[in-house]
C-alpha cells in the first residue's frame, strides 16, 4: 500500500523558512515522480516542485530561487526547503507521487486519482 505522510507545516512571518518532509512507503522512488502541490482557498492546485530519478528538479516560477526539493533515499523522505517565505505562499501543501509525470495544475488537490497524496500540511505566512 502506497502511503505518504507529510510534516513540517507551521505559521511563520514573511522572510522566514520552513522545511516540509514527506516520508513515503509502498513504492520505489526510482519508479515514480514525486513532488509538492499547494492549494489556497479559491485557487487551483499548483505543482510547486517535483523530483524524479535521473531528472532535473522542477520549480514553479513563483518559487524559483526560494524553494529547494531534495531526497533522502535512505530514509524514504522527500524534503521541500522553503526560504524567503511570502504571504502568498500560504496554502495547504500536499506531497504527491505518480508513476508518470506530475501535472502542473489541477482543479483540486487530492481528487486526481492518478496521483497518490499525503494528508496535507498547513503553511501560513504572515506579513
Amino acid at each position: 500500500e502506497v502511503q505518504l505522510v507529510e510534516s513540517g507545516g507551521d505559521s511563520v512571518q514573511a522572510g522566514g523558512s520552513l522545511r516540509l518532509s514527506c516520508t513515503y512507503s509502498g513504492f520505489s522512488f526510482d519508479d515514480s515522480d514525486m513532488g509538492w502541490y499547494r492549494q489556497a482557498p479559491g485557487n487551483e492546485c499548483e505543482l510547486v516542485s517535483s523530483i524524479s530519478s535521473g531528472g532535473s528538479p522542477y520549480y514553479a516560477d513563483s518559487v524559483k530561487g526560494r524553494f529547494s526539493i531534495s531526497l533522502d533515499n535512505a530514509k524514504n523522505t522527500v524534503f521541500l526547503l522553503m526560504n524567503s517565505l511570502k504571504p502568498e505562499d500560504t496554502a495547504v501543501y500536499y506531497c504527491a507521487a505518480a508513476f508518470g509525470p506530475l501535472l502542473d495544475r489541477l482543479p483540486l488537490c487530492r481528487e486526481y486519482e492518478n496521483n497518490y497524496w499525503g494528508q496535507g500540511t498547513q503553511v501560513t505566512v504572515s506579513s
Side-chain angles (χ1 to χ4, degrees):
E1 179 187 5
V2 172
Q3 286 193 325
L4 305 170
V5 179
E6 303 115 330
S7 61
D10 206 343
S11 297
V12 297
Q13 290 195 324
S17 297
L18 285 174
R19 190 179 76 162
L20 306 183
S21 301
C22 172
T23 301
Y24 61 90
S25 60
F27 66 97
S28 170
F29 174 79
D30 289 345
D31 298 329
S32 69
D33 279 13
M34 292 194 68
W36 292 90
Y37 286 86
R38 69 184 179 188
Q39 188 156 32
N43 289 2
E44 287 183 306
C45 178
E46 173 192 26
L47 180 63
V48 173
S49 181
S50 66
I51 188 170
S52 61
S53 177
S56 299
Y58 162 85
Y59 297 100
D61 287 343
S62 57
V63 306
K64 280 181 182 175
R66 300 189 298 123
F67 289 13
S68 177
I69 193 168
S70 61
L71 168 72
D72 185 333
N73 244 327
K75 296 182 179 179
N76 279 13
T77 301
V78 175
F79 300 99
L80 184 68
L81 177 62
M82 305 185 294
N83 294 321
S84 303
L85 282 162
K86 304 176 181 180
E88 50 264 43
D89 294 318
T90 295
V92 179
Y93 284 70
Y94 298 91
C95 180
F99 299 117
L102 293 171
L103 300 181
D104 59 356
R105 290 192 178 274
L106 297 167
L108 289 172
C109 292
R110 300 197 74 207
E111 292 196 0
Y112 185 64
E113 295 182 349
N114 284 1
N115 289 356
Y116 295 95
W117 297 94
Q119 79 282 4
T121 186
Q122 177 71 46
V123 172
T124 302
V125 184
S126 57
S127 56

